[in-house]
Amino acid sequence: MRILLLSGGSGKRLWPLSNDARSKQFLKVLRNEHGKLESMLQRVWRQLGKVNLADKAIVATSSSQVEMLHNQLGPYIPVVVEPEQKDTFPAIALASVYLYSVERCSLDEVVGVLPVDSFVEDHFFETIKELERGLYESSADLALLGVTPTYPSEKYGYIVPDSAMTEDFIKVSKFCEKPSEISAKRLINQQALWNCGVFGFRLKYIIQLLKRKNIPVQYDALLKYYSHLQSNSFDYEVVEKAKNIITLPYSGYWKDLGTWNTLTDEMEAQVIGNGVISNDVMKSCIVNELEIPIILIGVENVVVAASPDGLLVTDKKSSHKIKEYVSHFQDGPMYEEYWWGWRRVLEYNKKKDGTETLTEKIHLTAGKNLNYQVNGNQEVWTITEGDGILVLNDDEFSEIGTGTTLAIPDGKKYSWMAGSDMEFIVIRNGKHLMEHQRKNGRLDWNLKKPVYSKQS
Amino acid sequence: MRILLLSGGSGKRLWPLSNDARSKQFLKVLRNEHGKLESMLQRVWRQLGKVNLADKAIVATSSSQVEMLHNQLGPYIPVVVEPEQKDTFPAIALASVYLYSVERCSLDEVVGVLPVDSFVEDHFFETIKELERGLYESSADLALLGVTPTYPSEKYGYIVPDSAMTEDFIKVSKFCEKPSEISAKRLINQQALWNCGVFGFRLKYIIQLLKRKNIPVQYDALLKYYSHLQSNSFDYEVVEKAKNIITLPYSGYWKDLGTWNTLTDEMEAQVIGNGVISNDVMKSCIVNELEIPIILIGVENVVVAASPDGLLVTDKKSSHKIKEYVSHFQDGPMYEEYWWGWRRVLEYNKKKDGTETLTEKIHLTAGKNLNYQVNGNQEVWTITEGDGILVLNDDEFSEIGTGTTLAIPDGKKYSWMAGSDMEFIVIRNGKHLMEHQRKNGRLDWNLKKPVYSKQS
């Protein structure tokens, strides 16, 4: 059995901590058994490891998230990168084709698909393992993991079982999305289960389906074809049309950590980062990525989240409304993580004459380097910590350390290589600095190893 | 008649906008008739002007607030600077001695004293004017302005009238501080008034009182003697011991803008600065001095205040508790205003080896200069806007402009003079940078005009 972990999405719903460069699954706000902070991604990966599924897993993600993913799980995690962000059907198709044509998996191999933002107990993953046996023994096309409902929720989708149940596996009759409370109660009486987006299929099933649709089943070919794929969900494209579906029930804790409301319910700490909560505050929490302190007094059911991108204060139950308001603010992201470290905007100033000043702090991890072509802006780099090597025009090398300030000449190609962890303050003067960063995002920072990497 | 405006106090109760360098009276959160933001100080000064009392006023303040005061009211406002912060009795004594021995006011001159944080209607100031006539016609030692109570408040002090009232003026029998609601109701039935801290006296009364206490009544002598004065309130030292006190009633709006609760009640705008409030938010407001946006969703009766010093989220009614929690945080102030402009800390980093990096943005107003002696730290100044003159060691002059970066050599005495409004990013590397700034505060920045000011 192979596992496909879906780790996409831009995650504006956890603004200001999530942004285009950092999705919710990367936020370290949960705690592991040893009290150490971990992200949703790290938690799921740790739980997969417990049932020996981590080394059978691949991750489907977008290019902007690859660096963070490798930062959090290590550099050797197999990743399938979507050429562009589409919905779950194209992502699952691409990963399946990768397993089939690159990893040469058997067509009988079972693939278990799970989203990264489920907060569940460990034995959830034992049930995932059972999807394999279920598919083999039932000859079903799809096997869904169904969560035993604990209340008649109006927010979830329900898996309705066939009234004529088989002995071992529950055959699915139909699906019911977000029913009213009365309908939900009736569904629960019919033994319906919550659909948590976890399912399995034999590779053969998807490959044949793709062939029928004339979609390439060779990885390189599908990458090229990817832009032609329709942006449909796997539910719509496959599940709703499948004839032969079974479901395996899971009885235990399950929650989708999609909003500040559900996420903070699972946070053990009331304060993450620099902050203090007064004694009379109830059921509230602070998640502060800024260096300045936050003081929270006298409120109830409030989430305060702060990052260099902005600040959110919300009543827990209303936190899903964040998406409506984030679009008001176009700047940022003010903080981004990369494979070589991170950058944070300290100050941005648009002047009357149209020119801009952008002051950034840059952290370059020991042994890493960055490569960047100057675009005619004035740039001043001051090293505030660590030491390393500056390369100008590929061939001029100089050793640099704390306290050094360098004005980079226009048009010079340059790079830094960190001997120890380095920090820089960079001041840029020019035009369209923020717009440039926003439009081009991380592309501005060349991901290729620079030519002198042989020096290391 | 002369007016003494008391503008002291460090004002931690409006943290994070108020700090040791910026008291609550300077915060521009109110609006004048034309919708322009103004501070409590500017509002009171404007109201004094309407009844022709502004040009009769002097301001008692501490040295750390003189610059802000002149920034907000103009450079020619007469100011009496307390050599050190004490309570209201020493401050009023010093100002009285100034009027007597420096401005040579008549001993019969009436001095009206008022705090800067009263939010009142314009005709409040007409009543202040009447204190003069009251003192002359009644021969009382003190005349207090009493506010007609609108409810039996337990938070205020009450002025209790003598049951045998004189014809024109109400003679004061006694005072009652923060009574229970039942007592307050009884006091209101006895025609008691709220004590709003506004009162008048003839100069003679205070000068004689100081002489009896062997306190110098010459300004220079009292400045030297100031550290020996006990830190007592004027209420305790004078009012409670006075025999012959009258009170003049004021019927109208009065509020002490001492907490976020009372202050935000008087703010017309729900959002000051970069922020947005969702439709379902009730009776809440944002005061944001940061550049990053604040989003407020689904709450009620909440104040969000943000500055480079930190972030406060508080239920309105609980906002007075802020003092208990501010002491948790020792850093800052991260933003300070000076006579020459302002400085803001962008980033502070204490490294493992004990050295520190402090990155600041500095704004130097056109025509102003600053003078600073380097203390052996590495400093890099980058001009991001404007142009001016750099002076090194008093005699080396060079013209500088946007884009220039200068590393100031250790031990060099240097200064900048701004031709146009200038902005700098300054990066310091060294030890005890933040501690130094905190301990010495603004003294670090030499307030004297530098030697080359003749150049301007």
Side-chain angles (χ1 to χ4, degrees):
Chain A
M1 182 182 197
R2 301 299 300 261
I3 294 292
L4 171 58
L5 194 60
L6 299 176
S7 175
S10 72
K12 285 244 200 291
R13 281 188 299 172
L14 293 182
W15 186 92
L17 268 67
S18 64
N19 58 40
D20 288 340
R22 199 162 56 131
S23 286
K24 61 180 180 180
Q25 61 264 36
F26 300 124
L27 304 176
K28 291 190 184 175
V29 290
L30 305 170
R31 285 197 194 272
N32 68 15
E33 295 119 334
H34 310 295
K36 224 185 131 188
L37 287 172
E38 64 180 0
S39 69
M40 295 177 205
L41 177 72
Q42 288 171 321
R43 183 183 157 90
V44 163
W45 200 256
R46 185 169 56 74
Q47 288 181 311
L48 282 170
K50 279 188 181 175
V51 294
N52 301 316
L53 284 177
D55 55 359
K56 299 200 160 85
I58 63 170
V59 186
T61 191
S62 59
S63 61
S64 66
Q65 298 183 3
V66 174
E67 293 168 27
M68 273 301 284
L69 205 136
H70 281 151
N71 275 349
Q72 293 204 345
L73 300 184
Y76 306 113
I77 303 301
V79 168
V80 174
V81 179
E82 304 158 63
E84 57 189 285
Q85 261 187 322
K86 289 185 178 266
D87 211 325
T88 46
F89 174 68
I92 292 168
L94 185 67
S96 301
V97 162
Y98 173 85
L99 288 173
Y100 168 69
S101 68
V102 179
E103 294 215 358
R104 306 265 172 205
C105 289
S106 152
L107 280 168
D108 276 323
E109 185 78 80
V110 165
V111 181
V113 180
L114 75 153
V116 73
D117 53 1
S118 304
F119 189 88
V120 293
E121 292 171 66
D122 289 347
H123 73 270
F124 183 87
F125 295 89
E126 296 290 357
T127 316
I128 290 180
K129 274 182 141 173
E130 283 172 32
L131 294 175
E132 184 174 38
R133 194 175 56 91
L135 283 164
Y136 286 144
E137 295 184 7
S138 69
S139 326
D141 296 330
L142 291 167
L144 309 188
L145 203 152
V147 177
T148 310
T150 50
Y151 69 99
S153 168
E154 299 174 273
K155 288 186 294 179
Y156 298 135
Y158 288 74
I159 302 169
V160 188
D162 202 317
S163 50
M165 291 221 270
T166 59
E167 298 115 56
D168 274 337
F169 306 104
I170 304 164
K171 217 169 135 51
V172 175
S173 156
K174 57 174 182 175
F175 297 93
C176 185
E177 269 301 301
K178 297 180 182 170
S180 67
E181 197 181 328
I182 294 167
S183 304
K185 278 182 183 162
R186 202 166 42 227
L187 287 167
I188 291 174
N189 283 334
Q190 293 166 39
Q191 316 296 321
L193 301 165
W194 285 337
N195 187 354
C196 62
V198 174
F199 52 87
F201 49 77
R202 255 170 295 199
L203 204 46
K204 184 163 47 187
Y205 179 70
I206 295 300
I207 297 297
Q208 285 173 350
L209 186 143
L210 294 177
K211 282 181 177 166
R212 280 200 305 277
K213 289 176 183 280
N214 287 320
I215 294 172
V217 296
Q218 294 298 314
Y219 187 60
D220 286 344
L222 184 52
L223 281 175
K224 282 184 196 138
Y225 186 81
Y226 206 78
S227 61
H228 301 294
L229 291 178
Q230 276 200 298
S231 192
N232 274 342
S233 75
F234 192 82
D235 270 0
Y236 177 85
E237 194 71 29
V238 182
V239 182
E240 288 182 13
K241 295 169 185 166
K243 295 269 154 57
N244 192 2
I245 309 179
I246 58 165
T247 179
L248 280 77
Y250 157 77
S251 290
Y253 198 84
W254 169 77
K255 190 174 253 175
D256 165 23
L257 299 182
T259 65
W260 279 113
N261 187 23
T262 53
L263 178 61
T264 52
D265 274 353
E266 303 313 332
M267 281 170 44
E268 280 176 37
Q270 277 203 290
V271 179
I272 294 178
N274 190 9
V276 63
I277 285 181
S278 74
N279 301 329
D280 53 354
V281 165
M282 308 281 280
K283 296 177 200 152
S284 299
C285 69
I286 294 173
V287 184
N288 184 11
E289 290 193 344
L290 297 173
E291 285 154 29
I292 59 173
I294 296 180
I295 300 180
L296 186 60
I297 298 175
V299 296
E300 199 168 331
N301 288 315
V302 163
V303 176
V304 181
S307 86
D309 280 359
L311 199 114
L312 171 70
V313 179
T314 179
D315 179 68
K316 278 192 181 182
K317 285 209 178 120
S318 308
S319 65
H320 61 277
K321 296 185 187 164
I322 182 71
K323 277 180 115 168
E324 300 166 35
Y325 296 95
V326 169
S327 56
H328 289 245
F329 304 105
Q330 292 295 321
D331 274 351
M334 300 299 216
Y335 174 80
E336 289 179 295
E337 295 190 40
Y338 297 88
W339 63 278
W340 45 259
W342 48 261
R343 66 178 274 268
R344 178 177 163 185
V345 174
L346 297 181
E347 207 260 344
Y348 169 67
N349 186 23
K350 191 159 188 171
K351 293 178 258 182
K352 283 175 207 136
D353 65 0
T355 62
E356 295 161 45
T357 305
L358 187 64
T359 305
E360 290 169 284
K361 182 173 182 173
I362 286 175
H363 179 98
L364 184 58
T365 307
K368 300 284 164 59
N369 46 54
L370 50 90
N371 201 5
Y372 185 54
Q373 181 77 37
V374 182
N375 294 311
N377 297 316
Q378 288 182 315
E379 293 190 15
V380 180
W381 291 67
T382 300
I383 297 135
T384 58
E385 185 155 15
D387 51 68
I389 291 166
L390 166 72
V391 190
L392 273 175
N393 283 350
D394 297 339
D395 49 10
E396 300 166 40
F397 296 83
S398 35
E399 286 182 22
I400 42 166
T402 307
T404 310
T405 294
L406 284 150
I408 305 290
D410 285 11
K412 276 260 184 184
K413 195 173 162 191
Y414 68 90
S415 181
W416 307 93
M417 192 166 80
S420 57
D421 279 1
M422 292 183 82
E423 292 198 343
F424 303 84
I425 304 288
V426 187
I427 306 164
R428 297 179 216 272
N429 252 309
K431 285 197 173 182
H432 313 298
L433 296 175
M434 190 64 104
E435 190 187 319
H436 194 71
Q437 304 246 353
R438 195 167 56 235
K439 268 194 197 155
N440 297 301
R442 358 185 29 86
L443 295 178
D444 233 349
W445 299 88
N446 192 336
L447 292 183
K448 283 181 294 184
K449 299 273 174 180
V451 288
Y452 63 91
S453 63
K454 59 183 185 287
Q455 298 271 327
S456 63
Chain B
M1 184 183 195
R2 300 300 299 263
I3 293 292
L4 171 57
L5 195 60
L6 298 176
S7 175
S10 71
K12 286 246 199 293
R13 281 188 299 173
L14 292 183
W15 184 93
L17 268 67
S18 64
N19 58 39
D20 289 342
R22 199 162 58 130
S23 287
K24 61 181 180 181
Q25 61 265 34
F26 300 124
L27 305 175
K28 290 190 183 175
V29 290
L30 305 172
R31 286 197 193 271
N32 67 15
E33 294 118 335
H34 310 294
K36 224 186 132 188
L37 287 171
E38 65 178 0
S39 69
M40 296 178 206
L41 177 72
Q42 289 172 319
R43 182 182 157 91
V44 162
W45 200 256
R46 185 170 54 76
Q47 289 181 309
L48 281 170
K50 280 189 180 174
V51 293
N52 301 315
L53 283 177
D55 55 358
K56 299 201 159 85
I58 63 170
V59 185
T61 193
S62 59
S63 61
S64 66
Q65 298 184 2
V66 173
E67 294 166 29
M68 274 300 285
L69 205 137
H70 280 150
N71 275 349
Q72 293 206 343
L73 300 185
Y76 305 113
I77 302 300
V79 167
V80 174
V81 180
E82 304 159 63
E84 58 189 285
Q85 261 187 323
K86 289 184 176 268
D87 211 326
T88 45
F89 174 67
I92 292 168
L94 185 68
S96 301
V97 162
Y98 173 85
L99 289 173
Y100 167 69
S101 70
V102 179
E103 293 216 358
R104 305 265 171 203
C105 289
S106 153
L107 280 168
D108 275 324
E109 185 77 80
V110 164
V111 181
V113 180
L114 77 153
V116 74
D117 53 2
S118 305
F119 190 89
V120 293
E121 294 171 63
D122 290 347
H123 73 270
F124 183 87
F125 295 89
E126 295 290 356
T127 316
I128 290 179
K129 274 182 143 174
E130 284 174 32
L131 293 175
E132 182 176 40
R133 193 174 56 91
L135 283 164
Y136 286 144
E137 295 185 7
S138 70
S139 327
D141 297 329
L142 292 167
L144 309 188
L145 201 152
V147 176
T148 310
T150 50
Y151 69 99
S153 168
E154 300 175 273
K155 289 185 294 180
Y156 298 134
Y158 286 76
I159 303 168
V160 188
D162 201 319
S163 50
M165 292 219 272
T166 58
E167 300 114 55
D168 275 336
F169 306 103
I170 304 165
K171 218 170 134 52
V172 175
S173 157
K174 59 175 181 174
F175 297 93
C176 185
E177 268 303 302
K178 298 179 182 171
S180 67
E181 196 180 329
I182 294 167
S183 305
K185 278 181 183 162
R186 202 165 43 228
L187 288 167
I188 292 174
N189 283 335
Q190 294 168 40
Q191 315 296 321
L193 301 166
W194 285 338
N195 187 355
C196 62
V198 174
F199 51 88
F201 49 75
R202 257 170 292 197
L203 204 47
K204 182 162 53 186
Y205 178 69
I206 294 301
I207 297 297
Q208 284 173 352
L209 185 144
L210 293 177
K211 282 182 176 168
R212 280 201 304 277
K213 289 176 181 280
N214 287 320
I215 293 171
V217 294
Q218 295 299 314
Y219 187 60
D220 288 344
L222 184 52
L223 282 175
K224 283 184 194 139
Y225 185 81
Y226 206 77
S227 62
H228 301 293
L229 290 178
Q230 275 200 297
S231 191
N232 275 343
S233 74
F234 193 81
D235 271 0
Y236 177 85
E237 194 72 27
V238 181
V239 182
E240 288 182 13
K241 294 169 184 166
K243 294 272 155 55
N244 193 1
I245 310 180
I246 59 165
T247 180
L248 279 77
Y250 157 77
S251 290
Y253 198 83
W254 169 79
K255 190 174 253 175
D256 164 24
L257 300 181
T259 66
W260 280 111
N261 187 22
T262 52
L263 179 60
T264 51
D265 275 353
E266 303 312 332
M267 281 170 44
E268 279 176 38
Q270 275 202 291
V271 179
I272 294 178
N274 190 8
V276 63
I277 286 181
S278 74
N279 301 330
D280 54 353
V281 164
M282 308 279 281
K283 295 176 201 154
S284 299
C285 69
I286 294 173
V287 184
N288 184 11
E289 290 194 344
L290 297 173
E291 285 155 29
I292 58 175
I294 296 180
I295 299 180
L296 187 58
I297 298 176
V299 297
E300 200 169 330
N301 288 314
V302 163
V303 176
V304 181
S307 87
D309 280 358
L311 201 113
L312 172 70
V313 179
T314 180
D315 179 68
K316 277 193 182 181
K317 284 210 177 116
S318 308
S319 65
H320 61 277
K321 295 183 187 164
I322 181 70
K323 277 180 114 167
E324 300 165 36
Y325 296 96
V326 169
S327 56
H328 284 62
F329 305 104
Q330 292 296 319
D331 275 351
M334 300 299 218
Y335 175 80
E336 290 179 295
E337 294 190 41
Y338 297 87
W339 64 277
W340 46 260
W342 48 261
R343 64 177 276 267
R344 176 176 165 186
V345 175
L346 296 181
E347 207 261 343
Y348 168 68
N349 186 23
K350 191 159 187 171
K351 294 178 258 181
K352 284 174 204 138
D353 66 0
T355 62
E356 294 160 46
T357 306
L358 187 64
T359 306
E360 292 168 283
K361 182 172 181 175
I362 287 176
H363 179 98
L364 184 58
T365 307
K368 299 285 163 63
N369 46 53
L370 48 91
N371 200 3
Y372 186 51
Q373 181 75 36
V374 182
N375 294 309
N377 298 316
Q378 289 181 313
E379 294 189 16
V380 180
W381 291 66
T382 300
I383 297 135
T384 57
E385 184 155 16
D387 51 66
I389 292 165
L390 166 71
V391 191
L392 274 174
N393 283 348
D394 298 338
D395 49 11
E396 301 165 39
F397 296 83
S398 35
E399 285 182 24
I400 42 167
T402 307
T404 310
T405 294
L406 284 150
I408 304 290
D410 286 8
K412 275 260 185 183
K413 194 173 167 190
Y414 68 90
S415 182
W416 307 93
M417 191 165 81
S420 56
D421 280 0
M422 291 183 83
E423 292 197 345
F424 303 84
I425 304 288
V426 187
I427 305 165
R428 296 179 217 275
N429 252 308
K431 285 196 172 181
H432 312 299
L433 295 176
M434 190 63 106
E435 190 187 319
H436 194 72
Q437 304 245 354
R438 195 167 57 237
K439 270 195 193 153
N440 297 300
R442 355 181 33 85
L443 295 176
D444 235 350
W445 299 87
N446 193 336
L447 293 182
K448 284 180 294 182
K449 298 273 174 180
V451 288
Y452 63 90
S453 63
K454 60 183 183 290
Q455 298 273 325
S456 62

